[in-house]
Amino acid sequence: MKECMWCNEDGAVETTKTGFWELHDGTRALQIDEIPAVCCSSCGMEYHEDDVIEEIEDQLLLIDTKKLGEVVTFKELMATERFLKKNYFKFYN
């Protein structure tokens, strides 16, 4: 178990969840299955951690999203070939 970022109790477990992302160009939304997530048995909160969200956002900026179907798994998304190696527009970290 790990500490929940919402209630700070040690009742959180790592799991996977489905999420929905609107593409950066606003043309459509994408269903992403099996995204790493945290579920807390103490407060009931289910969430994706910030680093996972950032990883998804960066990947969606760096790939040809027109090649993606309506539904993709997290692993498939992250394995998609990139135009660039990293997000050069992120000036922090």
Side-chain angles (χ1 to χ4, degrees), residues 52-83:
V52 173
I53 293 170
E54 186 175 326
E55 196 175 355
I56 292 170
E57 291 288 330
D58 281 350
Q59 185 70 352
L60 289 173
L61 278 172
L62 299 172
I63 64 173
D64 183 358
T65 57
K66 292 178 179 83
K67 294 181 179 179
L68 296 175
E70 296 294 318
V71 179
V72 64
T73 68
F74 177 77
K75 287 182 181 180
E76 291 168 340
L77 175 65
M78 300 316 294
T80 303
E81 185 178 0
R82 293 177 168 192
F83 290 128

Side-chain angles (χ1 to χ4, degrees), residues 9-26:
E9 294 291 326
D10 288 329
V13 294
E14 293 181 355
T15 186
T16 60
K17 293 288 179 186
T18 296
F20 299 88
W21 255 260
E22 183 176 344
L23 298 181
H24 294 99
D25 62 6

Side-chain angles (χ1 to χ4, degrees), residues 20-36:
F20 299 88
W21 255 260
E22 183 176 344
L23 298 181
H24 294 99
D25 62 6
T27 57
R28 64 186 174 113
L30 179 68
Q31 178 179 322
I32 306 172
D33 292 334
E34 301 173 22
I35 303 170

